[in-house]
Amino acid sequence: MPSLRLSLIMAAAALCLMDCGGGLTAGLAAKNYNALSASLKKDMSERDVATTLGSPPDKADLVTCTDPEGKPWQCRTWIYAGGKPKNNLRVVFYQDQSSAWRVVTWDLF
């Protein structure tokens, strides 16, 4: 009987690994930031962006950006990691007069 119990435990563990692992991988692969980025619009709020993309960013930073004339300004960047080239998204925000962060641009890399 001990060998039957061990066999059942091993079979259950194998089934869980196959099902859990496949579901996890499928969920990660399902995010298509290339397609989702088409719904972004200039001046969207941070909340609007998170809602549109379905999640908060994988990484957020406060950095110094430069305008076309080379003048520095403080910006916030959000990175969404899609796992494949051209499916990673960077959203850049500026701070408006009310101190709210608004989308200025975004790009795929």
Side-chain angles (χ1 to χ4, degrees):
M1 283 294 187
S3 64
L4 178 59
R5 183 181 303 173
L6 181 59
S7 297
L8 289 174
I9 291 171
M10 295 299 285
L15 283 173
C16 180
L17 285 175
M18 287 175 14
D19 185 42
C20 297
L24 211 69
T25 305
L28 289 175
K31 282 284 189 178
N32 183 348
Y33 291 116
N34 192 358
L36 288 169
S37 69
S39 299
L40 295 175
K41 293 177 180 45
K42 205 169 180 180
D43 294 319
M44 288 176 88
S45 69
E46 291 176 300
R47 176 179 278 172
D48 292 339
V49 171
T51 300
T52 298
L53 299 178
S55 65
D58 296 308
K59 183 179 178 186
D61 285 320
L62 195 60
V63 297
T64 301
C65 293
T66 55
D67 67 11
E69 291 83 40
K71 285 180 24 182
W73 54 282
Q74 193 171 44
C75 62
R76 181 176 286 185
T77 60
W78 282 11
I79 303 294
Y80 287 87
K84 292 186 277 185
K86 301 293 183 192
N87 193 38
N88 301 296
L89 176 64
R90 177 183 10 254
V91 182
V92 181
F93 297 88
Y94 72 95
Q95 200 167 25
D96 69 10
Q97 292 177 348
S98 70
S99 296
W101 291 96
R102 302 285 178 182
V103 172
V104 67
T105 191
W106 61 92
D107 66 312
L108 294 158
F109 61 96

